[in-house]
């Protein structure tokens, strides 16, 4: 109210926030299950290639997010390819949607531009299943293997 008068409290918003807080407390175990799926996804990626870049893997982080790079394959190419396989991923954080600049977070982590430009974000949720993880890994492996096959030139 710009310091001129007291405002009307958002009673509905306050009550809704209280309900949301109660629901979070009742469902905390769901996120531990999501973390297990995240770890399974990461193990599957490392089984495809132990040298791939899973960013932030060695630190405490959100249980539902994986950021992985496929060097040599632009993130947008990965997003499109995985979308065609029925898998939704993104080329950046939700708060950077629509931006075309490199991730400032990955830059701050000291990653080079090639790694940053090939990073995708995979988000899991309370409805994610082990079959979803397996389907992602199959599609990612196909893209990874196809991207690494040398292409024949027109002269050949």
């Amino acid at each position: 109210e710009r310091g001129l008068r007291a405002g009307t409290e958002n009673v509905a918003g306050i009550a809704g926030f209280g309900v949301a807080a109660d629901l979070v407390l009742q469902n905390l175990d769901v996120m531990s299950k999501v973390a297990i799926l995240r770890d399974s996804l990461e193990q599957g990626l490392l089984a495809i290639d132990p040298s791939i870049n899973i960013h932030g893997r060695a630190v405490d982080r959100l249980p539902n997010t994986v950021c992985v790079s496929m060097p040599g394959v632009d993130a947008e190419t990965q997003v499109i390819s995985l979308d065609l396989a029925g898998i939704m991923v993104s080329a950046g954080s939700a708060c950077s949607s629509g931006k075309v600049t490199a991730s400032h977070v990955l830059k701050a982590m000291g990653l080079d531009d090639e790694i940053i430009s090939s990073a995708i974000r995979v988000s899991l949720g309370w409805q994610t299943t082990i079959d979803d993880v397996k389907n992602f890994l199959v599609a990612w492996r196909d893209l990874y293997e196809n991207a690494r096959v040398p292409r024949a030139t027109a002269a050949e």
Side-chain angles (χ1 to χ4, degrees), residues 87-108:
I87 298 167
M88 295 175 280
V89 298
S90 67
S93 65
C95 58
S96 69
S97 179
K99 294 181 183 175
V100 293
T101 57
S103 165
H104 68 280
V105 173
L106 295 178
K107 276 196 174 293

Side-chain angles (χ1 to χ4, degrees), residues 70-78 114 117-119 143-144 147-148:
M70 187 186 296
V73 182
D74 185 69
E76 289 301 322
T77 300
Q78 294 177 65
E114 179 186 3
S117 69
S118 69
L143 173 60
Y144 179 81
R148 299 177 66 85

Side-chain angles (χ1 to χ4, degrees), residues 29-92:
D29 63 318
V30 171
M31 292 316 284
S32 62
K33 293 175 185 173
V34 171
I36 291 168
L37 290 172
R38 178 205 62 202
D39 295 344
S40 177
L41 187 146
E42 291 176 352
Q43 289 300 319
L45 289 168
L46 291 169
I48 294 167
D49 182 348
S51 68
I52 65 161
N53 300 294
I54 299 174
H55 309 295
R57 185 168 182 262
V59 298
D60 287 335
R61 60 207 160 102
L62 292 173
N64 68 319
T65 308
V66 175
C67 183
V68 59
S69 289
M70 187 186 296
V73 182
D74 185 69
E76 289 301 322
T77 300
Q78 294 177 65
V79 169
I80 292 167
S81 177
L82 292 168
D83 182 57
L84 291 172
I87 298 167
M88 295 175 280
V89 298
S90 67

Side-chain angles (χ1 to χ4, degrees), residues 15 92 100 109 119 128 135 142 146:
V100 293
M109 291 171 63
T128 303
N135 290 337
D142 289 347
N146 288 332

